[in-house]
Amino acid sequence: MPRVSHEGGGNDASKDTDEVASRILRFCDGRHLAIAAAESLTGGLLADAFVRVPGASSVFLGSVVTYDIRAKATILGVDRELLSTQGAVNPEVARQMSLGAGVLYTGAAQGRSLVTLSTTGVAGPGPDGTHPQGEVYIAVAVPDNAPASPSTNRPGGHVRHLQLDGSRQQIRESTVLAVLELAARLLGS
């Protein structure tokens, strides 16, 4: 599991995030793909990374913020038993959140294939039960017609576990950059 340290202020991270988000949007626009997201600890920062880019509305459909554990079940369809026994900081929860975003935004995609992203974890301050501050799961699902290799295009998406350092805000920003970088890699953008 990678340990990411977020050093310095938000400027460099913001520039990196803007560059990766722009690259993903251009790539998806050129291939008739749409993007949707489901967020927990990032609380809308992932959506913001896309909507800061002029013209994002041609690709980015939206993001549902399910900060509350019950919202993950009722809105995204994450398994209630899983949430009850394992909590929200879990790789399967991240995967199901990504799948749930796909279900929610399928109609809005208007025939385009969907790329879905999700974030869940502990931003802090401090731990959440047995999960330390900075423990995060991200998931990205790319459509079958995306250029990702068969080994990375798994049913329900690719999940990555992160252990991030920094303040609450830095962990949230680092999570956004990490999920964007994973999406860019899987898409080949």
Side-chain angles (χ1 to χ4, degrees):
M1 143 187 58
R3 183 167 198 85
V4 179
S5 178
H6 183 113
E7 297 179 15
N11 265 353
D12 288 339
S14 243
K15 286 179 189 175
D16 290 345
T17 298
D18 290 349
E19 187 277 322
V20 178
S22 293
R23 190 167 19 115
I24 292 169
L25 288 167
R26 281 191 310 272
F27 178 87
C28 289
D29 193 35
R31 285 157 184 82
H32 201 60
L33 299 172
I35 300 170
E39 303 182 62
S40 186
L41 82 150
T42 50
L45 283 178
L46 179 54
D48 181 63
F50 286 119
V51 301
R52 284 196 311 255
V53 178
S57 62
S58 65
V59 174
F60 183 65
L61 302 176
S63 181
V64 61
V65 177
T66 54
Y67 201 68
D68 180 79
I69 198 165
R70 293 169 300 237
K72 288 173 182 61
T74 58
I75 296 170
L76 292 172
V78 176
D79 182 84
R80 289 178 192 275
E81 180 69 20
L82 173 67
L83 290 166
S84 173
T85 60
Q86 302 298 314
V89 186
N90 179 279
E92 181 61 17
V93 170
R95 188 186 74 76
Q96 288 186 25
M97 287 175 66
S98 182
L99 288 171
V103 170
L104 286 175
Y105 285 97
T106 294
Q110 298 181 332
R112 293 175 288 174
S113 295
L114 271 172
V115 175
T116 59
L117 302 87
S118 71
T119 64
T120 188
V122 183
D128 181 6
T130 61
H131 302 283
Q133 178 173 328
E135 183 176 2
V136 173
Y137 290 93
I138 57 175
V140 176
V142 297
D144 290 337
N145 62 343
S149 71
S151 64
T152 60
N153 196 11
R154 300 176 186 158
H158 183 84
V159 178
R160 186 169 173 208
H161 183 208
L162 307 170
Q163 183 59 55
L164 304 169
D165 291 323
S167 69
R168 177 179 174 80
Q169 185 63 19
Q170 288 170 328
I171 289 168
R172 294 173 68 230
E173 290 170 358
S174 294
T175 299
V176 170
L177 182 57
V179 75
L180 290 173
E181 288 174 337
L182 178 60
R185 182 174 59 80
L186 291 173
L187 288 166
S189 66

mmCIF file with all atom_site columns, all heavy atoms in Angstrom, residues 97-112:
data_model
loop_
_atom_site.group_PDB
_atom_site.id
_atom_site.type_symbol
_atom_site.label_atom_id
_atom_site.label_alt_id
_atom_site.label_comp_id
_atom_site.label_asym_id
_atom_site.label_entity_id
_atom_site.label_seq_id
_atom_site.pdbx_PDB_ins_code
_atom_site.Cartn_x
_atom_site.Cartn_y
_atom_site.Cartn_z
_atom_site.occupancy
_atom_site.B_iso_or_equiv
_atom_site.pdbx_formal_charge
_atom_site.auth_seq_id
_atom_site.auth_comp_id
_atom_site.auth_asym_id
_atom_site.auth_atom_id
_atom_site.pdbx_PDB_model_num
ATOM 1   N N   . MET A 1 97  ? -19.413 1.746  -4.306  1.00 0.00 ? 97  MET A N   1
ATOM 2   C CA  . MET A 1 97  ? -19.731 3.165  -4.515  1.00 0.00 ? 97  MET A CA  1
ATOM 3   C C   . MET A 1 97  ? -19.529 3.539  -5.979  1.00 0.00 ? 97  MET A C   1
ATOM 4   O O   . MET A 1 97  ? -20.346 4.246  -6.573  1.00 0.00 ? 97  MET A O   1
ATOM 5   C CB  . MET A 1 97  ? -18.872 4.049  -3.614  1.00 0.00 ? 97  MET A CB  1
ATOM 6   C CG  . MET A 1 97  ? -19.247 4.012  -2.151  1.00 0.00 ? 97  MET A CG  1
ATOM 7   S SD  . MET A 1 97  ? -18.099 4.972  -1.108  1.00 0.00 ? 97  MET A SD  1
ATOM 8   C CE  . MET A 1 97  ? -18.415 6.646  -1.699  1.00 0.00 ? 97  MET A CE  1
ATOM 9   N N   . SER A 1 98  ? -18.438 3.076  -6.567  1.00 0.00 ? 98  SER A N   1
ATOM 10  C CA  . SER A 1 98  ? -18.174 3.352  -7.978  1.00 0.00 ? 98  SER A CA  1
ATOM 11  C C   . SER A 1 98  ? -19.268 2.753  -8.858  1.00 0.00 ? 98  SER A C   1
ATOM 12  O O   . SER A 1 98  ? -19.771 3.399  -9.787  1.00 0.00 ? 98  SER A O   1
ATOM 13  C CB  . SER A 1 98  ? -16.796 2.800  -8.353  1.00 0.00 ? 98  SER A CB  1
ATOM 14  O OG  . SER A 1 98  ? -16.478 3.079  -9.684  1.00 0.00 ? 98  SER A OG  1
ATOM 15  N N   . LEU A 1 99  ? -19.646 1.511  -8.562  1.00 0.00 ? 99  LEU A N   1
ATOM 16  C CA  . LEU A 1 99  ? -20.732 0.866  -9.314  1.00 0.00 ? 99  LEU A CA  1
ATOM 17  C C   . LEU A 1 99  ? -22.046 1.626  -9.134  1.00 0.00 ? 99  LEU A C   1
ATOM 18  O O   . LEU A 1 99  ? -22.808 1.800  -10.094 1.00 0.00 ? 99  LEU A O   1
ATOM 19  C CB  . LEU A 1 99  ? -20.909 -0.581 -8.850  1.00 0.00 ? 99  LEU A CB  1
ATOM 20  C CG  . LEU A 1 99  ? -19.822 -1.559 -9.257  1.00 0.00 ? 99  LEU A CG  1
ATOM 21  C CD1 . LEU A 1 99  ? -20.019 -2.896 -8.555  1.00 0.00 ? 99  LEU A CD1 1
ATOM 22  C CD2 . LEU A 1 99  ? -19.804 -1.743 -10.761 1.00 0.00 ? 99  LEU A CD2 1
ATOM 23  N N   . GLY A 1 100 ? -22.305 2.079  -7.918  1.00 0.00 ? 100 GLY A N   1
ATOM 24  C CA  . GLY A 1 100 ? -23.531 2.837  -7.638  1.00 0.00 ? 100 GLY A CA  1
ATOM 25  C C   . GLY A 1 100 ? -23.591 4.136  -8.420  1.00 0.00 ? 100 GLY A C   1
ATOM 26  O O   . GLY A 1 100 ? -24.659 4.526  -8.910  1.00 0.00 ? 100 GLY A O   1
ATOM 27  N N   . ALA A 1 101 ? -22.460 4.804  -8.566  1.00 0.00 ? 101 ALA A N   1
ATOM 28  C CA  . ALA A 1 101 ? -22.422 6.031  -9.372  1.00 0.00 ? 101 ALA A CA  1
ATOM 29  C C   . ALA A 1 101 ? -22.779 5.705  -10.817 1.00 0.00 ? 101 ALA A C   1
ATOM 30  O O   . ALA A 1 101 ? -23.502 6.459  -11.481 1.00 0.00 ? 101 ALA A O   1
ATOM 31  C CB  . ALA A 1 101 ? -21.044 6.685  -9.291  1.00 0.00 ? 101 ALA A CB  1
ATOM 32  N N   . GLY A 1 102 ? -22.296 4.567  -11.286 1.00 0.00 ? 102 GLY A N   1
ATOM 33  C CA  . GLY A 1 102 ? -22.622 4.154  -12.649 1.00 0.00 ? 102 GLY A CA  1
ATOM 34  C C   . GLY A 1 102 ? -24.113 3.941  -12.843 1.00 0.00 ? 102 GLY A C   1
ATOM 35  O O   . GLY A 1 102 ? -24.688 4.349  -13.851 1.00 0.00 ? 102 GLY A O   1
ATOM 36  N N   . VAL A 1 103 ? -24.755 3.331  -11.860 1.00 0.00 ? 103 VAL A N   1
ATOM 37  C CA  . VAL A 1 103 ? -26.194 3.093  -11.934 1.00 0.00 ? 103 VAL A CA  1
ATOM 38  C C   . VAL A 1 103 ? -26.945 4.424  -11.911 1.00 0.00 ? 103 VAL A C   1
ATOM 39  O O   . VAL A 1 103 ? -27.854 4.659  -12.719 1.00 0.00 ? 103 VAL A O   1
ATOM 40  C CB  . VAL A 1 103 ? -26.656 2.183  -10.773 1.00 0.00 ? 103 VAL A CB  1
ATOM 41  C CG1 . VAL A 1 103 ? -28.174 2.113  -10.683 1.00 0.00 ? 103 VAL A CG1 1
ATOM 42  C CG2 . VAL A 1 103 ? -26.060 0.792  -10.926 1.00 0.00 ? 103 VAL A CG2 1
ATOM 43  N N   . LEU A 1 104 ? -26.554 5.320  -11.010 1.00 0.00 ? 104 LEU A N   1
ATOM 44  C CA  . LEU A 1 104 ? -27.245 6.605  -10.882 1.00 0.00 ? 104 LEU A CA  1
ATOM 45  C C   . LEU A 1 104 ? -27.145 7.466  -12.132 1.00 0.00 ? 104 LEU A C   1
ATOM 46  O O   . LEU A 1 104 ? -28.085 8.182  -12.470 1.00 0.00 ? 104 LEU A O   1
ATOM 47  C CB  . LEU A 1 104 ? -26.678 7.392  -9.692  1.00 0.00 ? 104 LEU A CB  1
ATOM 48  C CG  . LEU A 1 104 ? -27.062 6.927  -8.306  1.00 0.00 ? 104 LEU A CG  1
ATOM 49  C CD1 . LEU A 1 104 ? -26.329 7.743  -7.254  1.00 0.00 ? 104 LEU A CD1 1
ATOM 50  C CD2 . LEU A 1 104 ? -28.569 7.046  -8.105  1.00 0.00 ? 104 LEU A CD2 1
ATOM 51  N N   . TYR A 1 105 ? -26.013 7.431  -12.792 1.00 0.00 ? 105 TYR A N   1
ATOM 52  C CA  . TYR A 1 105 ? -25.778 8.355  -13.905 1.00 0.00 ? 105 TYR A CA  1
ATOM 53  C C   . TYR A 1 105 ? -25.933 7.722  -15.289 1.00 0.00 ? 105 TYR A C   1
ATOM 54  O O   . TYR A 1 105 ? -25.713 8.397  -16.297 1.00 0.00 ? 105 TYR A O   1
ATOM 55  C CB  . TYR A 1 105 ? -24.392 8.983  -13.768 1.00 0.00 ? 105 TYR A CB  1
ATOM 56  C CG  . TYR A 1 105 ? -24.342 10.040 -12.686 1.00 0.00 ? 105 TYR A CG  1
ATOM 57  C CD1 . TYR A 1 105 ? -23.879 9.736  -11.416 1.00 0.00 ? 105 TYR A CD1 1
ATOM 58  C CD2 . TYR A 1 105 ? -24.786 11.329 -12.937 1.00 0.00 ? 105 TYR A CD2 1
ATOM 59  C CE1 . TYR A 1 105 ? -23.847 10.694 -10.423 1.00 0.00 ? 105 TYR A CE1 1
ATOM 60  C CE2 . TYR A 1 105 ? -24.755 12.294 -11.947 1.00 0.00 ? 105 TYR A CE2 1
ATOM 61  C CZ  . TYR A 1 105 ? -24.290 11.979 -10.691 1.00 0.00 ? 105 TYR A CZ  1
ATOM 62  O OH  . TYR A 1 105 ? -24.265 12.947 -9.715  1.00 0.00 ? 105 TYR A OH  1
ATOM 63  N N   . THR A 1 106 ? -26.344 6.472  -15.362 1.00 0.00 ? 106 THR A N   1
ATOM 64  C CA  . THR A 1 106 ? -26.485 5.816  -16.659 1.00 0.00 ? 106 THR A CA  1
ATOM 65  C C   . THR A 1 106 ? -27.434 6.583  -17.585 1.00 0.00 ? 106 THR A C   1
ATOM 66  O O   . THR A 1 106 ? -27.123 6.807  -18.756 1.00 0.00 ? 106 THR A O   1
ATOM 67  C CB  . THR A 1 106 ? -26.958 4.355  -16.491 1.00 0.00 ? 106 THR A CB  1
ATOM 68  O OG1 . THR A 1 106 ? -25.923 3.630  -15.839 1.00 0.00 ? 106 THR A OG1 1
ATOM 69  C CG2 . THR A 1 106 ? -27.247 3.706  -17.831 1.00 0.00 ? 106 THR A CG2 1
ATOM 70  N N   . GLY A 1 107 ? -28.571 7.003  -17.094 1.00 0.00 ? 107 GLY A N   1
ATOM 71  C CA  . GLY A 1 107 ? -29.529 7.735  -17.917 1.00 0.00 ? 107 GLY A CA  1
ATOM 72  C C   . GLY A 1 107 ? -28.976 9.052  -18.423 1.00 0.00 ? 107 GLY A C   1
ATOM 73  O O   . GLY A 1 107 ? -29.197 9.432  -19.570 1.00 0.00 ? 107 GLY A O   1
ATOM 74  N N   . ALA A 1 108 ? -28.234 9.752  -17.587 1.00 0.00 ? 108 ALA A N   1
ATOM 75  C CA  . ALA A 1 108 ? -27.657 11.039 -17.977 1.00 0.00 ? 108 ALA A CA  1
ATOM 76  C C   . ALA A 1 108 ? -26.539 10.874 -19.000 1.00 0.00 ? 108 ALA A C   1
ATOM 77  O O   . ALA A 1 108 ? -26.211 11.819 -19.723 1.00 0.00 ? 108 ALA A O   1
ATOM 78  C CB  . ALA A 1 108 ? -27.123 11.772 -16.745 1.00 0.00 ? 108 ALA A CB  1
ATOM 79  N N   . ALA A 1 109 ? -25.970 9.693  -19.083 1.00 0.00 ? 109 ALA A N   1
ATOM 80  C CA  . ALA A 1 109 ? -24.861 9.457  -20.022 1.00 0.00 ? 109 ALA A CA  1
ATOM 81  C C   . ALA A 1 109 ? -25.327 9.464  -21.472 1.00 0.00 ? 109 ALA A C   1
ATOM 82  O O   . ALA A 1 109 ? -24.514 9.621  -22.381 1.00 0.00 ? 109 ALA A O   1
ATOM 83  C CB  . ALA A 1 109 ? -24.162 8.135  -19.696 1.00 0.00 ? 109 ALA A CB  1
ATOM 84  N N   . GLN A 1 110 ? -26.612 9.303  -21.701 1.00 0.00 ? 110 GLN A N   1
ATOM 85  C CA  . GLN A 1 110 ? -27.213 9.359  -23.040 1.00 0.00 ? 110 GLN A CA  1
ATOM 86  C C   . GLN A 1 110 ? -26.458 8.509  -24.061 1.00 0.00 ? 110 GLN A C   1
ATOM 87  O O   . GLN A 1 110 ? -26.043 8.984  -25.112 1.00 0.00 ? 110 GLN A O   1
ATOM 88  C CB  . GLN A 1 110 ? -27.324 10.801 -23.512 1.00 0.00 ? 110 GLN A CB  1
ATOM 89  C CG  . GLN A 1 110 ? -28.214 11.620 -22.627 1.00 0.00 ? 110 GLN A CG  1
ATOM 90  C CD  . GLN A 1 110 ? -28.348 13.051 -23.092 1.00 0.00 ? 110 GLN A CD  1
ATOM 91  O OE1 . GLN A 1 110 ? -27.464 13.606 -23.716 1.00 0.00 ? 110 GLN A OE1 1
ATOM 92  N NE2 . GLN A 1 110 ? -29.477 13.655 -22.766 1.00 0.00 ? 110 GLN A NE2 1
ATOM 93  N N   . GLY A 1 111 ? -26.261 7.255  -23.709 1.00 0.00 ? 111 GLY A N   1
ATOM 94  C CA  . GLY A 1 111 ? -25.634 6.314  -24.628 1.00 0.00 ? 111 GLY A CA  1
ATOM 95  C C   . GLY A 1 111 ? -24.119 6.280  -24.582 1.00 0.00 ? 111 GLY A C   1
ATOM 96  O O   . GLY A 1 111 ? -23.502 5.412  -25.193 1.00 0.00 ? 111 GLY A O   1
ATOM 97  N N   . ARG A 1 112 ? -23.519 7.206  -23.867 1.00 0.00 ? 112 ARG A N   1
ATOM 98  C CA  . ARG A 1 112 ? -22.056 7.172  -23.739 1.00 0.00 ? 112 ARG A CA  1
ATOM 99  C C   . ARG A 1 112 ? -21.667 6.163  -22.670 1.00 0.00 ? 112 ARG A C   1
ATOM 100 O O   . ARG A 1 112 ? -22.384 5.946  -21.706 1.00 0.00 ? 112 ARG A O   1
ATOM 101 C CB  . ARG A 1 112 ? -21.509 8.549  -23.336 1.00 0.00 ? 112 ARG A CB  1
ATOM 102 C CG  . ARG A 1 112 ? -21.684 9.605  -24.414 1.00 0.00 ? 112 ARG A CG  1
ATOM 103 C CD  . ARG A 1 112 ? -21.232 10.957 -23.923 1.00 0.00 ? 112 ARG A CD  1
ATOM 104 N NE  . ARG A 1 112 ? -22.211 11.454 -22.946 1.00 0.00 ? 112 ARG A NE  1
ATOM 105 C CZ  . ARG A 1 112 ? -22.056 12.567 -22.238 1.00 0.00 ? 112 ARG A CZ  1
ATOM 106 N NH1 . ARG A 1 112 ? -20.952 13.282 -22.376 1.00 0.00 ? 112 ARG A NH1 1
ATOM 107 N NH2 . ARG A 1 112 ? -22.969 12.964 -21.401 1.00 0.00 ? 112 ARG A NH2 1
#
